[in-house]
Every structure is written in C-alpha cells, then in structure tokens.
Amino acid sequence: MKKRTYHNPVGVSRYTGLLLVSPFIAGFLVFTLYPFITSFLLGLTDYDGIHQPEYIGLGNYRYMLEDDGIHSAVSATLVYMLILVPLKLIVSLLAAVVLNNRIKGIGVYRTLFYIPSILGSNLAIVIMWQFLFTSGGLVNQLISAAGLPDVSWYGSGIHSMMMIVLLRLWEFGSAMILFLNALRDIPCEYYEAARVDGCGGVRCFFRITLPLLRNVIFLNLVLQTISAMQEFNAPYMITGGGPMRSTYTIGMLIYNEMFRYHDAGYANAVSWLLFAIVTVTVLIIYRVTRRSREEYI
Amino acid sequence: MKKRIMLYMLLTAEAVIMIYPLIWLVGASFKSNDEIFTSLWFMPAHFDLSVYRKAWQTVTPYSMGHYFINTFKVILPKTLFTLVSSVLVAYGFARFDFPMKKGVFALFMGTMFMPGIVRVMPMYVMWSRTGFLDTYVPLTLPSLFAVEGAFVFMLLQFFRRVPKEFDEAARIDGCGTIGTLVYVLIPCLRPVLVSITVFTFLWTMNDFLEPLMMISSVEKYPLSLALRLSADSTGNGYEQNRIIAMSVIGLIPSVAVFAAAQRKLIGGITAGGLTG
C-alpha cells in the first residue's frame, strides 16, 4: 500500500481535520443517510405511521403504475418545471445584464429586484398572492383596465399553474445574484476590444457574455430544477392542488399520503421516486451541457 | 444620453412590478373588502390603525407577539448552532489534510444537491419514534451538524481568500488549532458570518413544511403556521384586511433584517453562490 503524506501545519495530527469536519460526518449519517435508508425500507412496507410496518416488497411501486394520482402529480411537476425554469433563467439573466451597467443608483434597483426572493416562500407572500389573483383582485383589475376579459385564475388548470409559476418567477433574485457575480468577473477589456472590432451590443451578449457564463448557467439550471421539483408551499396554500389536480405536485402528494391518508409506506416510496426523477434530470442536464461547459463540476 | 434614459425607464418599470404588490399589500390592510376588490391604487380611502390592533390579537387564542417569541425560540439556537458547526467544518476542509478527505468532500458536495423533501418523511418518523415531535428539537438540533451545505460552501470561498501565512504567523505566536481560528480567521470572516446569520433568520421565518409536520399544538406554532391557521379560518365574507394586516406584520422582521444587512449581504453572497 502506498503511504500517503499529509500536508498539515507542524505539530498538527492528521486527524485534526477529521475531527473538525466530524459534525458534518455525524450529521450526514444521522440526518441524511439514515433517513434515506429508512425511507427506502419503509417504501417497501404497508405502514400507517402507528402500527408495525408490514413488508409488502415492491407493492407500493407496483401500485404507482396504476395510481392515476401519481401520474398526474408527476406530469404536473414536470410541466411546472419545464415552464418555470427556462423563464426564470432568462428573466434573471436579462435582469443581471441590465443591472451590470455602472450607472448611478444601480444599487437601489439591485436591492429592489432582490427583495421578493428574500421574502421567498414566506407564508405572508403566499397569502398576498392569493389576494392578488382572486376574482376581483389586483391582477384582474389590471386586466379589465386594459380592456381584456376577466381571467378565472382558480378556475382552469393552465391559469392556476401560471399563477404559481408567476409567484416563483417574481422571486428570480437569487438566480440573478449568481449571474450578476459572474458578470462582474468578465473583464471590461473583452467588450472594449469587441467594440473596436465593430461588435454591437446584442452580438457582444451572444458572443462574449453567454459563453463566459456557461458554468453559472449550468449551476442555476441545476439549482432551480431541483427546487422546482420539490414545490410544495405555493400549491398547498394557494390552489390546494386544484383545479382537477392540475397543480397537485409530487411534493403535495407525498405530504397528503403521509398526513392525510396515513399511508406512510406509499409516501416514502414516492419520496424515492422523486429522488430518482431529480437525479435522472440532473444527470440529463449534466450530459446535455457537457460539451458547452468548461469541465469543472 | 437617450440610451441611459431608456435604461432607467426599463429598470423603474421592472422595480414597480417587483415592489408594487408589497406596497399594495400594506395599503390593502387599511381597506374595506369593497375597496380591496375595486381599487388598483394602493392608497386607502382612510387610515384606521385599529385593524392592526385586531390583527395583533389574531383569530387564535394567542397574540402575534406569542408567535414571534415562538419563532425566535427556533431562530436563536438555530443561528448559533449553524454558525459554530459551519465554521468548524469549513475550517477543517479549508485548512487541513486528513484521511479520506476527498471522499468526505465529495459526499459533502453531493448532499448539497440533494432534494430536501426526500428526507422529511423519514425524519418525521425518526422524530416521532424518539418522542421529540411537537418540540423545537427537530427544527433546531440538525443545525449543530452543518446540514446547510450552502453555508459551508460560502465559508470555504472566504477561507480561500485568507492567506495561509496568517495561520502560520499565529502558530509561531503560540496559537493552537482553535486559537488560530478564533483570533485570526474568524475576524477575517466577519462579512460571511453576517450573511449566514441573516440567511438563517430569513429562511427560518419562511420555513413552512417542517414546522407544519413537526409542531402540532397551536401554543407552539411559529409565525408561518399561525398565519396559515388564520388564513384558513377566515372565510370569504370576513374582513379580509385583518389577515392582510397579519401578513404585513409577519413580513416586517424579514424586511427589517434585510434592510439593515443588505449592503453586507450582497457583498457576502458575492463570493458564495448562495441561493434563497
């Protein structure tokens, strides 16, 4: 066996570092690995949260194949993700590009743009959203002021979905901050050189800005996808999953199976399904973007 | 010049979209039901602060003050635990070499990208078996173990900027491993420690799913659950402005903390890669 040398300050044992990171290791075992394994095992049982779990093998997973509830939840979650994530990336990137101008008072705008995402999933914001979109709410007043027919936001599936997408889109600040920091690292000389060569603003954006941002675009894409797939608060509070389960996400299904229908076995099996979907999606993103990404993640 | 004016107009229009709903919310708290649903303008016809007195009492047996105190009972230990554990773990990764370091670090990065919702069900089962349901233990104790990977990651970026010569100088002057951290490194990390504190505060204020599962008695409800309870128990015919006023009160701490820290905050995230 090859003997490894440890580069530590003089007099420091090679176990000092291990001791320092031991809270993470302990936490990983207790709060990540243990729940993860338990979740898998419970997923193989019929369990109501009170009585002894009863082993039923892949019964829960077999049930998923015929359960319409899970089919509509998976498709609602995927639709939600496919609408929200691209929109959010585009909006936050454009906002970051505009905010990257060094003009007077830009700091104020940056703060204002960031506030909604700071308040984030605060329940007060969710309640506010309900009021904004009720039949006589601010949004419908604006729509009728523009001379358009009223929209029943709670009445149709697509509109309910849009209502939640708009809420999360409004909170684009955190993605924007990541873009803004990456933009700041691009040297001004690149743009100056491009301008000398007669490159316009739009072409500069596509030829210089976008390629240099590909890593942070990838990071944001992954982070936003993961968080979109777990959406729970907004549909739970605003639409209750309706109408006709159009906004009934996987997160809501897990919660309801566990606490409403007391089917902990199924809830845990669906948790694993969600984990699998997230992992596969992230791997797909990873593979698809590999060519256009600098290899660092 | 013309371009600059266009830019300001664009920015202002966008800022209005971002902020007007919040201003409207504050205005709506003073409005009658009729006025809420007929007027676009945020300014109410007349101000009557009595709605805030009613909102403070809430529709539950406890006042907003009670729920604020509950929330702070979670926030204070959580912030303290998070700061201590994240700094120690980041220090270990940033400054020391140890067996299996690569593996442990890979594990750490992996957990950062793990969807939290997969964990919550078994965690609930775990806490219910150990008898800690309906206490604040499930909401605070995990913070002792650096579970918020984003914070450790942010600290790592900052550790990297502090030259190792600082550590060496401290060692020559007789500081031990912990002494170096406390006297030399932590003072350099102050901006990021502020960010961690602020984010822990804001995220805990926003927390909904975990308290919803873990806390069952109204007496122990944090603010978010109290808001949900009030929103659910006020029907359509009810004075809507009361629940709106409750929401406004519920947002004040977050807005205040953000306003106080925003300059440092945006600087702190600059190095981080932290999202909300």
Side-chain angles (χ1 to χ4, degrees):
Chain A
M1 209 174 132
K2 207 170 69 180
K3 214 169 184 184
R4 201 184 137 196
T5 48
Y6 294 93
H7 303 278
N8 276 325
V10 186
V12 171
S13 147
R14 59 187 164 143
Y15 295 110
T16 306
L18 203 57
L19 192 68
L20 285 168
V21 301
S22 62
F24 162 73
I25 298 173
F28 174 79
L29 294 176
V30 179
F31 299 113
T32 305
L33 193 64
Y34 169 77
F36 221 63
I37 292 169
T38 331
S39 176
F40 182 70
L41 294 177
L42 284 176
L44 301 174
T45 65
D46 185 13
Y47 180 43
D48 60 2
I50 304 158
H51 300 97
Q52 272 300 314
E54 187 193 329
Y55 179 78
I56 52 165
L58 291 175
N60 286 319
Y61 293 92
R62 225 170 286 134
Y63 178 63
M64 279 178 205
L65 294 175
E66 51 192 79
D67 178 17
D68 287 338
I70 187 82
H71 299 162
S72 73
V74 170
S75 72
T77 309
L78 291 180
V79 168
Y80 170 72
M81 178 198 90
L82 288 173
I83 302 175
L84 175 67
V85 175
L87 278 176
K88 203 168 178 178
L89 286 192
I90 292 168
V91 170
S92 53
L93 179 57
L94 289 182
V97 169
V98 175
L99 285 181
N100 199 33
N101 280 296
R102 275 163 225 276
I103 56 172
K104 231 185 189 162
I106 202 77
V108 178
Y109 288 106
R110 196 177 53 199
T111 308
L112 292 180
F113 286 17
Y114 194 46
I115 282 181
S117 71
I118 277 293
L119 302 176
S121 49
N122 194 308
L123 213 56
I125 293 295
V126 177
I127 291 172
M128 175 185 91
W129 217 252
Q130 273 178 307
F131 276 102
L132 290 177
F133 284 86
T134 46
S135 52
L138 190 69
V139 174
N140 268 347
Q141 287 179 42
L142 270 175
I143 290 174
S144 53
L148 299 164
D150 260 16
V151 176
S152 152
W153 292 97
Y154 291 89
S156 86
I158 187 75
H159 288 124
S160 296
M161 181 66 86
M162 281 320 290
M163 188 161 56
I164 293 169
V165 167
L166 284 172
L167 171 62
R168 295 304 181 216
L169 191 59
W170 184 62
E171 296 163 352
F172 66 76
S174 53
M176 176 192 82
I177 290 283
L178 286 182
F179 281 135
L180 203 51
N181 294 330
L183 281 173
R184 237 179 258 158
D185 291 340
I186 301 178
C188 299
E189 288 81 17
Y190 288 12
Y191 293 103
E192 279 158 23
R195 206 163 305 137
V196 171
D197 291 343
C199 190
V202 177
R203 250 176 70 192
C204 276
F205 175 77
F206 283 103
R207 292 283 165 85
I208 300 175
T209 314
L210 268 190
L212 286 173
L213 287 184
R214 55 199 171 192
N215 281 330
V216 69
I217 291 174
F218 170 75
L219 182 68
N220 259 332
L221 185 63
V222 170
L223 289 173
Q224 295 301 334
T225 306
I226 293 176
S227 85
M229 292 212 155
Q230 299 182 68
E231 183 61 64
F232 170 78
N233 291 11
Y236 179 79
M237 277 302 292
I238 299 178
T239 61
M244 304 286 288
R245 288 185 160 236
S246 53
T247 53
Y248 196 75
T249 57
I250 303 180
M252 271 196 79
L253 182 123
I254 294 173
Y255 180 84
N256 278 345
E257 288 296 338
M258 181 90 178
F259 292 99
R260 223 189 224 171
Y261 311 126
H262 301 288
D263 194 347
Y266 194 53
N268 279 296
V270 177
S271 296
W272 265 77
L273 175 75
L274 177 59
F275 176 65
I277 295 178
V278 171
T279 311
V280 169
T281 313
V282 171
L283 283 179
I284 292 174
I285 296 173
Y286 187 82
R287 285 305 279 278
V288 169
T289 57
R290 176 178 271 169
R291 289 205 156 185
S292 51
R293 212 159 16 91
E294 289 161 49
E295 291 289 343
Y296 94 119
I297 308 179
Chain B
M1 197 60 215
K2 209 169 143 197
K3 211 179 137 198
R4 181 155 294 192
I5 292 171
M6 285 279 286
L7 195 62
Y8 273 117
M9 274 166 61
L10 188 75
L11 283 167
T12 309
E14 175 60 26
V16 168
I17 298 175
M18 301 305 278
I19 298 306
Y20 192 73
L22 294 168
I23 298 173
W24 178 85
L25 189 77
V26 177
S29 65
F30 296 103
K31 293 177 179 174
S32 66
N33 277 0
D34 267 4
E35 212 185 337
I36 291 174
F37 297 120
T38 50
S39 142
L40 280 171
W41 189 232
F42 72 93
M43 207 56 149
H46 38 72
F47 284 97
D48 181 8
L49 277 171
S50 70
V51 62
Y52 275 91
R53 204 165 47 233
K54 276 198 256 169
W56 185 261
Q57 285 158 4
T58 75
V59 291
T60 64
Y62 305 95
S63 73
M64 291 283 275
H66 181 86
Y67 298 118
F68 271 124
I69 291 171
N70 282 350
T71 312
F72 290 131
K73 278 183 194 160
V74 177
I75 287 183
L76 285 178
K78 199 170 162 180
T79 310
L80 194 70
F81 292 171
T82 306
L83 281 173
V84 172
S85 64
S86 314
V87 167
L88 286 179
V89 171
Y91 183 44
F93 277 133
R95 290 297 206 251
F96 299 94
D97 194 7
F98 51 84
M100 297 178 300
K101 184 176 180 182
K102 274 198 174 145
V104 176
F105 192 69
L107 214 58
F108 163 75
M109 290 301 286
T111 48
M112 275 218 314
F113 289 99
M114 181 128 142
I117 202 161
V118 178
R119 275 199 324 219
V120 291
M121 292 304 136
M123 289 288 270
Y124 173 82
V125 175
M126 183 175 104
W127 292 120
S128 90
R129 281 183 179 162
T130 45
F132 282 113
L133 280 190
D134 208 23
T135 69
Y136 297 137
V137 174
L139 305 179
T140 51
L141 190 72
S143 306
L144 261 184
F145 299 93
V147 284
E148 222 37 279
F151 291 148
V152 178
F153 193 70
M154 199 160 94
L155 279 161
L156 277 176
Q157 314 278 325
F158 264 76
F159 267 113
R160 238 168 251 163
R161 288 193 200 166
V162 183
K164 284 206 172 154
E165 285 73 21
F166 282 30
D167 303 36
E168 283 158 23
R171 292 224 174 241
I172 290 166
D173 289 347
C175 277
T177 300
I178 294 298
T180 309
L181 177 67
V182 173
Y183 297 116
V184 180
L185 295 171
I186 287 185
C188 301
L189 296 172
R190 225 171 325 168
V192 67
L193 297 180
V194 171
S195 302
I196 293 178
T197 308
V198 172
F199 273 108
T200 309
F201 182 91
L202 294 168
W203 289 354
T204 313
M205 289 299 286
N206 291 350
D207 250 358
F208 180 64
L209 178 60
E210 271 196 86
L212 181 67
M213 291 180 1
M214 307 297 180
I215 308 292
S216 49
S217 51
V218 178
E219 193 198 339
K220 292 177 188 159
Y221 269 14
L223 200 65
S224 56
L225 293 189
L227 277 176
R228 181 193 79 118
L229 186 67
S230 309
D232 283 354
S233 53
T234 51
N236 264 339
Y238 202 77
E239 298 156 75
Q240 308 277 11
N241 60 0
R242 191 157 155 193
I243 180 70
I244 293 179
M246 283 184 68
S247 304
V248 173
I249 297 174
L251 285 174
I252 288 172
S254 301
V255 174
V257 165
F258 176 67
Q262 73 83 14
R263 207 166 280 268
K264 284 204 171 134
L265 201 63
I266 295 187
I269 335 165
T270 316
L274 189 68
T275 54

